[in-house]
């Protein structure tokens, strides 16, 4: 079983910054892609950013230039630096990972419990 533990969420004023962290632990054989999704009230879940083990990144258009995703492969940890936050960034942010568990054949997808980010205007 692989577990993702998130931290760094909270309340911040518009224009402020937050840094989210997520560490994968458990029976990990390998982790390829890690990323962040978010879901705001009344809206569909959307992919915010993702990063491969080789450092290739993708971002939601609305966060480009404001958010930066990075990772520490040795520690199976992913970060999301969020700058110039806007009220519309308010959502529950979920850490995700794609990889393989020890003793399990095939790729699996793992999800964190979610962390609340609230941006006030």
């Amino acid at each position: 079983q692989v577990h993702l533990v998130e931290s760094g969420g909270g309340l911040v004023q518009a224009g402020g910054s937050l840094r989210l962290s997520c560490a994968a632990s458990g029976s990990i054989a390998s982790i390829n892609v890690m990323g962040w999704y978010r879901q705001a009230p009344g809206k569909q879940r959307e992919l915010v950013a993702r990063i491969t083990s080789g450092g290739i990144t993708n971002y939601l258009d609305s966060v480009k230039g404001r958010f930066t995703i990075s990772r520490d492969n040795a520690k199976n940890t992913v970060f999301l630096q969020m700058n110039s936050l806007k009220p519309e960034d308010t959502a529950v942010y979920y850490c995700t990972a794609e990889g393989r568990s020890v003793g399990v054949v095939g790729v699996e997808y793992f999800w964190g419990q979610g962390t609340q980010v609230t941006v006030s205007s």
Side-chain angles (χ1 to χ4, degrees):
Q1 186 71 38
V2 175
H3 299 278
L4 303 179
V5 180
E6 301 149 319
S7 63
L11 278 67
V12 65
Q13 293 184 347
S17 299
L18 285 173
R19 180 173 178 265
L20 305 183
S21 299
C22 172
S25 62
S27 301
I28 300 170
S30 64
I31 297 289
N32 184 19
V33 181
M34 301 189 78
W36 295 90
Y37 281 80
R38 70 184 182 187
Q39 187 164 25
K43 294 185 177 181
Q44 294 182 332
R45 184 180 62 192
E46 60 186 356
L47 178 66
V48 178
R50 70 175 113 199
I51 183 169
T52 70
S53 59
I56 303 299
T57 60
N58 296 96
Y59 294 94
L60 182 68
D61 283 344
S62 62
V63 308
K64 288 181 178 178
R66 300 189 297 119
F67 292 9
T68 302
I69 189 169
S70 61
R71 65 187 288 174
D72 183 337
N73 290 335
K75 296 183 178 180
N76 290 314
T77 301
V78 64
F79 307 93
L80 186 67
Q81 179 66 46
M82 304 185 292
N83 298 325
S84 302
L85 283 162
K86 304 175 181 179
E88 49 263 47
D89 294 318
T90 296
V92 177
Y93 284 70
Y94 297 92
C95 176
T96 65
E98 177 188 289
R100 293 178 170 85
S101 298
V102 174
V104 178
V105 176
V107 175
E108 296 177 277
Y109 299 88
F110 310 105
W111 291 81
Q113 78 287 345
T115 184
Q116 177 70 47
V117 171
T118 302
V119 184
S120 62
S121 61

